[in-house]
Amino acid sequence: MKSELWKPRQSRWDAAALVGQIKRADIQLTAGKLAELRDYFWFDLCAEWDSTYLHDEIHRSENSWSQEFLAFEQAWFEDEINHAEGFLALYCLLYEEDETLVRQRLRERSPDFSPLAEFLHDEWGLSLLFAYDELATMRAYHIDVALYQSLGTSELSRFIRLLLRDETYHHANAVDLILRQDGLGFEKVSHLIDRFLAYDQQDPRYQATFVFDHEWAHVGEDFFLETAKMLKERLAKSMKKAG
Ligand SMILES: [Fe+2]
Ligand SMILES: [Fe+2]
């Protein structure tokens, strides 16, 4: 790891307070559309909430993480919890559910990290997984912008824009960590990205792990292939420049 001090990009905001400004009557959704979107909003809420499980898994690990990785992970975790709180407020507003009961339902789920064990045990590999997964999230939220804008409140348009900015920062911060690793060749990086892609292409069941929360019905068939290609191109350019 290079020696000069690195800090993750982060911009703090309060997602639940932003959603809290919305009046239910201002949201333009028919009853049919609302019912149709229930699983979609629940899934996004769960995936953001599951950062808690990944955070615990990282800190439970016997691996000794660098200061830079820990700074990255802390900023990431703060942001994801903020996103989860925003989605929780939105879900309760849309579906008129009791927040305490929804929190209980979220806590009753339990993660299974065992299928991902090979990706979690070293810092550069996990940083690369963050770079891949956050890029996928960023691209998926980008598709969602039109939906949020159609709901008729400026707060929800702002909510999705701020989410997108945070996911962009998470991706960029993870890329920085990769580029700051000494002696990491592009071939090694490219090979691991191929393994992420192969995992995604098996359509694995999502098990509350935050990463690989990719059961998205609204993305195209080549979405993950394109994501892997974009990440490789980004890293190839920078690694070539550095080398
Ligand atoms: Fe997020
Ligand atoms: Fe993120």
Side-chain angles (χ1 to χ4, degrees):
M1 188 69 73
K2 299 196 169 52
S3 58
E4 66 277 20
L5 195 71
W6 174 86
K7 278 194 182 142
R9 301 161 192 79
Q10 187 181 25
S11 191
R12 307 296 296 269
W13 57 292
D14 187 335
L18 179 61
V19 174
Q21 292 168 22
I22 305 167
K23 289 188 188 65
R24 178 65 188 84
D26 294 339
I27 298 178
Q28 293 166 6
L29 263 179
T30 61
K33 188 75 186 160
L34 186 66
E36 202 183 292
L37 288 171
R38 190 173 194 125
D39 287 350
Y40 162 87
F41 283 119
W42 174 249
F43 188 82
D44 277 354
L45 166 57
C46 289
E48 297 279 1
W49 180 271
D50 295 341
S51 55
T52 312
Y53 298 134
L54 180 56
H55 173 78
D56 290 347
E57 185 70 14
I58 290 169
H59 286 271
R60 201 183 296 129
S61 154
E62 282 165 11
N63 202 343
S64 61
W65 310 105
S66 70
Q67 284 308 311
E68 292 189 342
F69 181 83
L70 290 172
F72 159 81
E73 198 273 342
Q74 184 59 33
W76 162 82
F77 182 52
E78 287 166 4
D79 289 347
E80 304 301 3
I81 285 300
N82 183 43
H83 300 171
E85 291 293 331
F87 274 110
L88 176 64
L90 179 59
Y91 188 83
C92 292
L93 178 72
L94 289 174
Y95 297 103
E96 294 166 342
E97 286 214 29
D98 180 83
E99 197 189 296
T100 312
L101 295 178
V102 178
R103 278 186 197 279
Q104 206 175 308
R105 253 160 53 213
L106 287 165
R107 285 197 201 100
E108 278 164 4
R109 301 159 57 256
S110 56
D112 182 2
F113 286 95
S114 56
L116 306 182
E118 60 171 325
F119 302 136
L120 305 178
H121 55 67
D122 56 38
E123 186 170 308
W124 79 268
L126 183 51
S127 303
L128 190 62
L129 178 54
F130 271 112
Y132 173 79
D133 200 82
E134 294 286 345
L135 178 60
T137 304
M138 202 178 110
R139 297 184 67 227
Y141 278 150
H142 192 73
I143 299 170
D144 296 339
V145 169
L147 168 70
Y148 281 81
Q149 284 177 341
S150 75
L151 297 177
T153 79
S154 59
E155 287 86 359
L156 284 179
S157 298
R158 190 167 156 72
F159 177 71
I160 190 71
R161 275 205 316 276
L162 292 174
L163 276 181
L164 252 176
R165 183 192 58 190
D166 289 351
E167 309 304 3
T168 308
Y169 284 168
H170 301 163
H171 167 67
N173 288 338
V175 165
D176 277 0
L177 289 183
I178 299 290
L179 297 178
R180 291 174 66 79
Q181 291 277 341
D182 292 319
L184 192 60
F186 178 70
E187 231 169 88
K188 205 169 161 185
V189 164
S190 175
H191 179 67
L192 186 54
I193 296 171
D194 285 338
R195 280 161 59 202
F196 300 154
L197 178 62
Y199 185 81
D200 260 330
Q201 287 175 332
Q202 298 162 21
D203 289 327
R205 193 165 67 84
Y206 175 61
Q207 298 186 88
T209 51
F210 181 86
V211 283
F212 293 108
D213 59 322
H214 299 160
E215 291 177 6
W216 298 321
H218 65 307
V219 302
E221 203 187 319
D222 292 334
F223 182 88
F224 296 106
L225 189 69
E226 290 158 7
T227 303
K229 189 167 170 264
M230 283 169 75
L231 181 58
K232 280 188 194 178
E233 283 171 1
R234 164 80 183 81
L235 290 170
K237 220 193 286 168
S238 303
M239 289 176 129
K240 225 176 274 167
K241 235 187 272 168

